[in-house]
Amino acid sequence: MKTGKAFLQLSSGKRQESLIKVTEKVTEGVHAVFIDGLSGESLDAEFGAGIELRVDGVKSWMADYRHSEYWCRPAFGTDFSGVPDETQGLIYEKTDGSFGVVLPVVSEQYKCVLTGNGTDTVLAKLFSWYEAMTACKGLAVVWAEGDHPYELLEKCASVGLKLLGTGCRTRRERRYPELFEYLGWCSWDAFEIRVDEKSLLAKCQEFQDKGIPVKWAILDDMWAEVRDFYGRDYQNRTEMFRLMHSSRLYSFQADPIRFPNGLKACIEKINGYGIKVGMWHPTTGYWMGADPDGEVYSRLKDCLIKTESGIYIHSPEQEKAYKFYCAFHDYLRRCGAEFVKIDNQSMSRRFYKKLAPVGQIARQFHDAMEASVGQHFDNQMINCMGMASEDMWNRSVSPISRCSDDFQPENKAWFTKHILQCAYNCLIQGQLYYCDWDMWWTDDGQAVKNSILRAVSGGPIYVSDTLGRSRAELLKPLVLEDGRILRCDRPAMPAKDCLTSDPVRSGSLFKLQNLCGGSGILAVFNLDAEEKPVCGSVSPRDVEGLTGEEFAVYEHFSGTCQILKPDASISISLADSNDFKLYVIVPLRDGCGMIGRTDKFISPATVRYDSSGHGELVESGPYAYVEDRKLWVKH
């Protein structure tokens, strides 16, 4: 990659090339591109500077771009002219078989994104969303090329964070909360905004009656006192969202009609079922902020600002934002909540544009939010609706972030969009966070496929079944008897031969790979848009970081096993979207190895090894092992 022309763009629309300097610094093989420009006029708040980046010999690419205010998804192409605007991560394969990675960053003041600018050129666009800027200075992008794309991604993220110096951590440096090692449930798709104490307790009783070991639950939207909603109802989801997004938070208390005994009493009753409780809320308190006639406004008005659209939300200033979150979280904690899910995070442009540069805004309110969550909930938080890069590059310690649009029950077309979003978003977001692949239903038409996705995801697993509809048999392959999930070691990501190829149109298998201990996990799907058969191969080489000289490749659903050398492969075809496979790839020692429990998807997680390498089951049940390169199954 080579840097080309750079320019400042003025608010008047004029461009200046002579007043800007671009420099590169190489650290651990990663090229960091810095920009330094100063003008006598104000810069365009939406596009203050640009740098052309050229790559020769591009064969194909995947762009992870922000397609909405909150979410990203992948796009694919063969020349850079099609790279979408708002691209937050770019992976390309060259004609010589090597790869390249480009990560635009968010510096102290400026946000950078990529967009197509010609057959072999992308444009790095920098902007502040603040009209008083006359200078553009700081790190713009990091990039690297080589033969190992996953290593390039990890190095680019690590070097970028070090150079930014914000204190933000890579995923490896973040602590995964023990709470999320267990099965959870969320009220949203079950009850939506009609959530109430009676229904919640009925659902807890269902879990107990069916022996489903749910250990935590999220009380989602509309648990709080939102008086704008009183006496109103909806006929469909469109009307429901319209009502939600026109409502304001009156107080931090639970809605007195649907929670007549108060939030604390409700949580205590849920705790009685052995279930810990977390509370949902948006960054803004509620979707349209605080009700000016309510208790939140009266108590915290010194911490609030009135936006251009006339709503009251917390100030982006760190001290005031912290005071707001601390007041909210103190109430929730005193009621017995043990974690939070915070929505509506990528809202900086909509609410804080023109108040200060985007980097400054994001860093201040995330530091405030995380300080309060750390103080009250030991950093146990799910970040949500927050895939804008100003959010991803500015959370210091919170470990988990959603990586897809909302789950849509009873929607087959949604599954393909969902798996693509999660898998390819994890390539970028997964360098910084453990990724939450969202809730799901156990009796949905895509339930088994959804369960496989959560099994390989490496993140939390939680469902949102409504009353009477939870299926214990769909959850048993994911967890031990006490509800502990059999979790992979890192976010699941596409296999190397899927990185820059659109699986909807390629005619090839789509492969998700992960590790569990020293074993590989490979989930294989047919995502063809026309439901045509697809074919390809699976190999130990498909799993990044898997080492060994010989492997047992065990397919979960058929119970078949083949012994392969590292470079060997198995040819397979999948007839349609209802055809899928799940492989466990276990390194063998002298022709022997443990597959683990055959009734669990991530079977290596059911085996515990001692210091001598001897393995035994964590929990009794049917299991398989390989001895003298032959498969043995015990029931």
Side-chain angles (χ1 to χ4, degrees):
M1 174 171 280
K2 298 178 181 178
T3 56
K5 183 173 63 177
F7 56 86
L8 296 176
Q9 181 146 307
L10 308 181
S11 56
S12 63
K14 296 179 181 179
R15 289 187 175 183
Q16 294 180 338
E17 297 180 20
S18 61
L19 301 177
I20 189 168
K21 180 181 179 181
V22 173
T23 58
E24 287 194 43
K25 177 181 178 181
V26 182
T27 304
E28 300 177 30
V30 175
H31 295 250
V33 181
F34 294 84
I35 192 168
D36 189 351
L38 176 64
S39 173
E41 301 180 41
S42 62
L43 303 180
D44 190 326
E46 301 284 348
F47 184 4
I51 311 170
E52 293 181 353
L53 305 171
R54 184 169 63 84
V55 180
D56 294 326
V58 173
K59 175 185 175 184
S60 55
W61 52 262
M62 187 284 299
D64 193 40
Y65 75 103
R66 190 160 68 131
H67 74 94
S68 71
E69 188 171 20
Y70 308 107
W71 306 115
C72 295
R73 66 186 178 196
F76 303 88
T78 55
D79 71 71
F80 282 159
S81 61
V83 172
D85 198 9
E86 290 280 341
T87 289
Q88 299 187 159
L90 179 67
I91 302 173
Y92 55 88
E93 184 176 2
K94 302 179 74 172
T95 52
D96 63 3
S98 65
F99 287 84
V101 167
V102 190
L103 297 184
V105 305
V106 180
S107 65
E108 184 177 354
Q109 295 177 322
Y110 278 85
K111 172 174 176 170
C112 184
V113 297
L114 306 176
T115 189
N117 194 49
T119 302
D120 58 359
T121 305
V122 290
L123 182 65
K125 297 171 55 178
L126 293 95
F127 46 88
S128 65
W129 293 334
Y130 186 52
E131 296 173 346
M133 302 297 291
T134 58
C136 182
K137 182 177 182 179
L139 180 63
V141 301
V142 289
W143 66 271
E145 292 183 342
D147 296 328
H148 306 288
Y150 305 99
E151 182 180 316
L152 299 178
L153 283 161
E154 190 169 348
K155 281 188 173 182
C156 281
S158 178
V159 170
L161 289 173
K162 289 176 183 177
L163 293 174
L164 289 171
T166 61
C168 186
R169 296 163 168 81
T170 64
R171 184 195 76 250
R172 292 177 181 271
E173 300 170 299
R174 297 175 190 257
R175 174 173 59 89
Y176 191 90
E178 176 69 12
L179 174 70
F180 298 120
E181 297 285 7
Y182 292 85
L183 180 65
W185 175 83
C186 179
S187 69
W188 175 244
D189 290 304
F191 307 129
E192 293 179 332
I193 57 177
R194 293 188 175 112
V195 61
D196 61 15
E197 178 181 310
K198 181 180 178 181
S199 298
L200 290 168
L201 297 179
K203 190 64 189 179
C204 291
Q205 186 63 50
E206 180 188 349
F207 291 140
Q208 186 176 92
D209 293 343
K210 292 180 176 179
I212 298 174
V214 166
K215 296 301 181 185
W216 54 269
I218 300 172
L219 273 59
D220 211 289
D221 201 345
M222 203 51 78
W223 64 266
E225 188 172 14
V226 179
R227 293 192 177 183
D228 293 327
F229 213 84
Y230 287 180
R232 304 167 75 182
D233 204 352
Y234 61 93
Q235 302 300 317
N236 52 54
R237 286 176 67 90
T238 299
E239 177 67 9
M240 176 187 71
F241 283 116
R242 188 187 69 78
L243 290 173
M244 287 164 49
H245 290 280
S246 63
S247 299
R248 301 162 297 178
L249 185 67
Y250 187 86
S251 80
F252 293 145
Q253 308 287 325
D255 180 273
I257 298 174
R258 286 174 287 115
F259 294 86
N261 301 305
L263 182 61
K264 188 175 190 295
C266 180
I267 289 178
E268 287 175 347
K269 292 173 185 177
I270 294 174
N271 291 162
Y273 288 91
I275 298 174
K276 297 180 179 180
V277 174
M279 303 303 297
W280 169 95
H281 71 80
T283 53
T284 47
Y286 199 63
W287 298 109
M288 292 300 286
D291 188 332
D293 297 322
E295 295 174 11
V296 171
Y297 178 85
S298 176
R299 177 182 172 188
L300 295 169
K301 59 185 176 183
D302 291 342
C303 301
L304 306 178
I305 63 168
K306 187 176 183 179
T307 69
E308 287 185 336
S309 57
I311 73 170
Y312 293 93
I313 62 172
H314 71 70
S315 166
E317 296 177 28
Q318 187 169 338
E319 183 178 347
K320 293 180 179 180
Y322 170 74
K323 186 176 179 181
F324 173 83
Y325 288 120
C326 198
F328 202 168
H329 295 161
D330 184 63
Y331 166 73
L332 297 179
R333 183 64 190 175
R334 285 188 286 107
C335 287
E338 299 194 37
F339 69 98
V340 285
K341 173 187 173 185
I342 301 183
D343 251 341
N344 199 35
Q345 292 195 19
S346 294
M347 49 74 177
S348 295
R349 184 183 188 279
R350 182 156 44 108
F351 292 136
Y352 297 135
K353 180 184 175 183
K354 300 182 181 180
L355 297 182
V358 57
Q360 177 183 328
I361 290 281
R363 189 159 304 120
Q364 287 185 350
F365 96 75
H366 277 292
D367 281 353
M369 183 193 304
E370 294 204 321
S372 180
V373 174
Q375 177 181 339
H376 294 90
F377 305 111
D378 192 27
N379 299 316
Q380 295 185 144
M381 169 169 62
I382 296 177
N383 296 286
C384 192
M385 298 177 70
M387 286 203 67
S389 55
E390 63 267 24
D391 302 296
M392 290 201 294
W393 288 92
N394 280 298
R395 301 185 192 108
S396 296
V397 294
S398 57
I400 298 172
S401 186
R402 261 272 297 280
C403 59
S404 79
D405 289 355
D406 287 355
F407 168 67
Q408 295 183 19
E410 315 290 7
N411 186 335
K412 184 176 181 180
W414 170 87
F415 179 83
T416 297
K417 296 177 183 178
H418 173 71
I419 188 174
L420 292 179
Q421 276 190 309
C422 289
Y424 288 95
N425 287 345
C426 280
L427 289 165
I428 310 302
Q429 179 177 284
Q431 307 309 318
L432 305 175
Y433 305 97
Y434 294 93
C435 297
D436 167 18
W437 289 45
D438 202 13
M439 62 196 87
W440 55 292
W441 280 6
T442 59
D443 70 343
D444 178 82
Q446 311 298 303
V448 175
K449 290 194 293 185
N450 274 318
S451 68
I452 294 172
L453 292 192
R454 277 40 177 209
V456 303
S457 73
I461 297 177
Y462 57 114
V463 291
S464 55
D465 302 308
T466 194
L467 280 176
R469 294 182 62 173
S470 288
R471 297 171 61 193
E473 69 273 18
L474 261 292
L475 293 168
K476 286 182 179 179
L478 302 171
V479 299
L480 297 174
E481 289 179 359
D482 65 354
R484 178 174 283 271
I485 64 177
L486 301 168
R487 191 169 65 86
C488 289
D489 297 343
R490 64 193 184 199
M493 300 179 190
K496 187 176 180 180
D497 59 0
C498 301
L499 285 180
T500 62
S501 176
D502 185 354
V504 173
R505 297 175 177 82
S506 66
S508 300
L509 307 171
F510 179 65
K511 295 177 284 188
L512 273 174
Q513 53 89 22
N514 212 328
L515 283 172
C516 181
S519 296
I521 307 295
L522 195 65
V524 188
F525 299 90
N526 179 341
L527 301 182
D528 188 81
E530 299 179 5
E531 292 275 349
K532 293 180 179 179
V534 297
C535 59
S537 63
V538 297
S539 167
R541 291 293 189 215
D542 286 326
V543 180
E544 174 67 12
L546 181 64
T547 59
E549 299 300 322
E550 190 176 48
F551 301 89
V553 181
Y554 176 83
E555 204 284 311
H556 173 85
F557 295 101
S558 64
T560 57
C561 184
Q562 296 189 44
I563 309 302
L564 296 183
K565 295 296 184 181
D567 293 320
S569 62
I570 302 169
S571 296
I572 65 170
S573 61
L574 299 178
D576 54 33
S577 63
N578 295 314
D579 201 359
F580 45 87
K581 296 183 183 295
L582 177 64
Y583 293 91
V584 174
I585 307 175
V586 178
L588 299 180
R589 179 186 296 179
D590 298 324
C592 301
M594 283 286 290
I595 302 297
R597 289 274 297 272
T598 56
D599 58 341
K600 307 296 182 182
F601 288 151
I602 311 300
S603 57
T606 67
V607 182
R608 181 191 298 115
Y609 293 91
D610 61 23
S611 58
S612 66
H614 173 73
E616 62 179 15
L617 293 178
V618 173
E619 192 175 270
S620 61
Y623 68 98
Y625 63 96
V626 172
E627 186 174 5
D628 294 329
R629 297 178 178 83
K630 293 182 180 179
L631 179 69
W632 299 86
V633 180
K634 299 292 183 179
H635 296 284

